[in-house]
Amino acid sequence: PPPVAGDSVMVPKNTTVLLDQTTPNLNLIVIEGELVWAPPAGGQKIELNAKYIFLHKGGKLRIGSEDEPYNGQAVITMHGDRKSKELPMYGAKVIAVRQGSLELHGQKKMPAWTKLSATASVGDNSITVSGPVNWKAGDQIVVASSSLRPQDAEEAFIVSVSDLGSGNVRIDLDRSLQFTHLGVVATVAGRQIDMRAEVGCLSRNVVIRGDDDHTLAQKYGPHIHMHDHRTGNCLESRVDDCGVSETFMRLSDVEMRNCGQSSRLGRYCIHFHMHGDASRSYLRGNAVHHSFHRAVAIHGTHRLRLIDNVAYNIEGHAYFLEDGIEMENVFEGNLGIWARRSHSSLNTDASPAVFWITNP
């Protein structure tokens, strides 16, 4: 029989489970085989509900693939509150990847972010951006602040998208802007300074989120914790001597919202913890927003690729290199808007940066 609310579930080795319907709120899911989202039927949303998801002994959790991104609505909702029992090292309300692979691939947003091509003034209910874009009605966007106050960034939902030609796109919004956002390139002393506000798309069709009961009230959201004890605990001074981790995470065009756990050390939205050589992993085109801790923390991890991601309204540092020993990680085309002060983490998070690179 199918599991019921409160059950723990085991996916054994050499077994593939096809998820074709929304689950009840499960306790622990241990994956040593493979759990795969079924192709969507008629716009159906498939939601996995659990308190803990633990990938071990080669376990795989997969939504779509690089070649065939998922084209339905897929949601992973993690449940739990601050009194939840924590797995050693990995914590609670967690997708824990110890030995296995996490592959989530949503429909590509092109681009993940762009810039205004004309200034948007107070009271405007549309913006003009550099195109083309494949964003659509119902998507949530954010327009970066043009003032000294990062919190003057504004969110809105798209009502319609119109191609204006000459590489410009008009986006009609569901609300009027409260602040002016610049769309100009200024010339100062013969030098051009790009003052155009960035515009990021926050919506994706593959979503990781927290439960409605405790996430917002307790600032206690889901997190992904990557740790390969085989390569991450290698004490060799050279990365190449430890080998490439066979445990990997590949996220492309995934939305992670209300994530991280405020005041809990190590419970960041996405955390590569003492993972070693992560050259098989990447984060590409994802949106992490409205978090209760850092967006991406890289600790003792090397050769990870972060490309074209959007981080918005993040508590503490957004993209964080922790020890200064991390090597050959690639940051390319990533956007960060509004890193909020945190008084419950490191002292440096009280004056956070979008990109924080610890000096060795």
Side-chain angles (χ1 to χ4, degrees):
V4 298
D7 280 355
S8 291
V9 174
M10 173 80 170
V11 180
K13 290 185 73 66
N14 303 317
T15 301
T16 298
V17 174
L18 199 63
L19 185 64
D20 61 358
Q21 61 182 341
T22 293
T23 72
N25 183 9
L26 303 173
N27 181 39
L28 167 66
I29 303 175
V30 177
I31 304 174
E32 296 182 356
E34 188 172 12
L35 178 60
V36 182
W37 255 248
Q44 174 190 18
K45 180 178 78 173
I46 300 176
E47 183 174 358
L48 176 64
N49 293 274
K51 294 181 178 179
Y52 313 86
I53 300 175
F54 189 74
L55 278 65
H56 189 41
K57 297 183 179 178
K60 300 177 182 179
L61 175 58
R62 182 161 57 85
I63 302 176
S65 66
E66 291 180 347
D67 295 332
E68 296 185 14
Y70 196 75
N71 62 1
Q73 293 293 320
V75 179
I76 298 176
T77 301
M78 303 303 298
H79 296 256
D81 59 26
R82 288 190 175 272
K83 296 181 180 179
S84 298
K85 293 182 179 179
E86 295 202 342
L87 300 177
M89 180 178 291
Y90 297 98
K93 211 167 186 174
V94 62
I95 302 174
V97 188
R98 180 173 177 84
Q99 185 182 348
S101 60
L102 177 65
E103 291 203 69
L104 311 179
H105 302 277
Q107 289 292 304
K108 187 171 182 60
K109 289 295 182 183
M110 296 186 296
W113 62 276
T114 183
K115 292 184 177 182
L116 292 178
S117 55
T119 295
S121 301
V122 175
D124 287 352
N125 58 8
S126 67
I127 58 175
T128 304
V129 303
S130 298
V133 302
N134 72 346
W135 307 351
K136 62 182 187 300
D139 283 350
Q140 185 180 19
I141 64 169
V142 58
V143 185
S145 170
S146 287
S147 74
L148 297 177
R149 290 164 42 89
Q151 58 267 41
D152 288 351
E154 297 191 69
E155 305 162 34
F157 288 91
I158 295 175
V159 174
S160 63
V161 179
S162 306
D163 187 357
L164 300 178
S166 302
N168 295 315
V169 172
R170 173 188 169 123
I171 298 177
D172 294 315
L173 309 176
D174 70 333
R175 45 157 295 205
S176 298
L177 297 173
Q178 298 179 6
F179 304 100
T180 294
H181 303 271
L182 298 179
V184 298
V185 178
T187 301
V188 179
R191 296 178 57 189
Q192 287 194 327
I193 302 176
D194 192 343
M195 304 289 288
R196 295 174 295 169
E198 297 86 356
V199 183
C201 186
L202 302 178
S203 297
R204 304 290 187 274
N205 67 308
V206 175
V207 177
I208 301 172
R209 68 183 193 99
D211 61 304
D212 295 330
D213 296 330
H214 305 105
T215 302
L216 293 175
Q218 298 185 0
K219 296 184 177 181
Y220 190 79
H223 64 112
I224 301 174
H225 192 116
M226 293 285 297
H227 170 70
D228 187 338
H229 63 286
R230 299 164 298 179
T231 54
N233 292 336
C234 175
L235 299 179
E236 297 288 344
S237 59
R238 294 181 56 191
V239 176
D240 292 332
D241 293 335
C242 301
V244 178
S245 174
E246 296 179 2
T247 294
F248 62 88
M249 171 166 56
R250 294 172 181 165
L251 302 188
S252 64
D253 291 278
V254 172
E255 177 183 352
M256 197 169 184
R257 63 175 180 254
N258 300 134
C259 50
Q261 298 171 2
S262 181
S263 77
R264 293 287 174 90
L265 183 65
R267 306 304 183 232
Y268 319 121
C269 294
I270 300 174
H271 186 191
F272 283 81
H273 176 70
M274 302 301 292
H275 190 68
D277 189 333
S279 55
R280 297 185 67 189
S281 297
Y282 61 74
L283 305 174
R284 181 181 296 140
N286 305 293
V288 181
H289 60 96
H290 295 87
S291 81
F292 307 119
H293 222 318
R294 299 170 188 144
V296 181
I298 302 170
H299 181 200
T301 299
H302 320 286
R303 297 171 179 160
L304 175 65
R305 290 161 289 163
L306 297 90
I307 301 170
D308 295 336
N309 299 287
V310 176
Y312 163 63
N313 198 350
I314 303 299
E315 182 174 306
H317 306 303
Y319 304 96
F320 180 71
L321 287 169
E322 186 160 342
D323 276 351
I325 63 168
E326 296 82 13
M327 297 184 294
E328 299 179 26
N329 294 292
V330 176
F331 292 77
E332 182 179 319
N334 300 288
L335 174 65
I337 301 175
W338 192 15
R340 308 189 319 270
R341 289 184 177 182
S342 172
H343 299 286
S344 61
S345 190
L346 297 180
N347 289 337
T348 59
D349 289 281
S351 54
V354 167
F355 297 95
W356 183 271
I357 302 174
T358 301
N359 195 328

